[in-house]
Amino acid sequence: MFVISAAVIALAACKKEVPSVEITSTPISFGVYTQGQTRADVTNDNLASIGVLAKYIKDNDTTIYFNETIEKAASEWKSNCYWPASGTMDFYASNKTVSDAGVVTVGSIDEDVVVAKATNKTCSSSSPAVALSFGHIFSKLAVKAQVADEDGLKATITKIEVSAQAPASYDITKASANWTLGTEASETYYSGTKEISSATPTDVVLTKVYVAPQDVTVNIYCEITTKDGETVLADYSTSPKAVQLTMTEGKTHTINLTFNANRIEFIPAVTDFSGADDKEETIK
């Protein structure tokens, strides 16, 4: 490991001011892996850039070493900075911008957000690259619907709302309680006239799919009629049928609806983004 004694080189190489320390000739690079390749939107193949906050720690003193956007080039992830010759480094990363405090602001966005961290790293322990294993911080919602095997029965779904606290920010530096949530509100995840007349499960294509992990209420506006148009169950077109769910980070929660002449069955399947086996729980 070749040491460059002129710290000014580090200052020129990095976008943030760094401490006056000796640096090596080894550039800081990353080995990036995104968990959940099967059912996630952000994967190894389409992740093209990441925001990385790097903190330098020595003698119980922590200083920002750099905070920059790193783009993948020829399958490599290299920063504009070099390893310090002493001390350790902590790295906090996301496919979104990371603040100097290690926080990702997500607001009310509806897209897959991944984060990763690697702490107490040195040049010698991070050869050839710092391993960043990105995990998905949101939950996903999906809905499938069918009618029971009854001749002429039809269900019409007109709206699906989710009542939950809006996501605000996610602190990557914390070991737990990473989320800060905003006020509770109802957001529309489907609006239209989805007619269900088959006993085969049919996807209800949602306009939004992501929810911050928490307890939520999913309100389903619908009605069930016979082939003659007669309503056979209480009209949920104005007073929705409510389903309570506990949304889990990195999981897809699929509500399987079965419409009968005298009841509506809700069976949620909880599936890992990586494609693990479903776990079904019946809601009574």
Side-chain angles (χ1 to χ4, degrees), residues 164-203:
Q165 289 180 274
S169 63
Y170 187 94
D171 191 337
I172 309 174
T173 67
K174 290 184 177 181
S176 60
N178 309 81
W179 279 99
T180 297
L181 298 176
T183 57
E184 185 168 340
S186 292
E187 293 196 42
T188 299
Y189 277 61
Y190 172 81
S191 180
T193 53
K194 181 66 175 180
E195 293 187 353
I196 307 297
S197 57
S198 172
T200 300
T202 301
D203 289 321

Side-chain angles (χ1 to χ4, degrees), residues 32-51 72 77 93-96 109-116 132-138 140 209-210 250 273-274:
V32 172
Y33 174 75
T34 305
Q35 303 170 24
Q37 296 299 299
T38 305
R39 293 174 174 149
D41 292 339
V42 176
T43 67
N44 290 337
D45 293 336
N46 61 26
L47 185 62
S49 66
I50 55 176
K72 181 167 62 174
W77 300 84
S94 175
N95 63 326
K96 311 298 292 182
I109 62 173
D110 187 56
E111 59 184 296
D112 195 4
V113 177
V114 294
V115 301
L132 290 177
S133 181
F134 284 87
H136 305 264
I137 63 174
F138 275 102
K140 289 181 73 174
V209 295
Y210 288 100
F273 277 14
S274 63

Side-chain angles (χ1 to χ4, degrees), residues 203-215:
D203 289 321
V204 180
V205 179
L206 305 178
T207 53
K208 297 184 67 174
V209 295
Y210 288 100
V211 184
Q214 60 186 291
D215 292 336

Side-chain angles (χ1 to χ4, degrees), residues 114-158:
V114 294
V115 301
K117 64 181 175 181
T119 58
N120 197 34
K121 299 300 180 181
T122 63
C123 183
S124 59
S125 69
S126 302
S127 178
V130 178
L132 290 177
S133 181
F134 284 87
H136 305 264
I137 63 174
F138 275 102
S139 306
K140 289 181 73 174
L141 178 67
V143 176
K144 293 179 180 290
Q146 66 187 84
V147 295
D149 190 15
E150 299 176 27
D151 182 42
L153 200 64
K154 182 179 73 173
T156 302
I157 299 173
T158 56

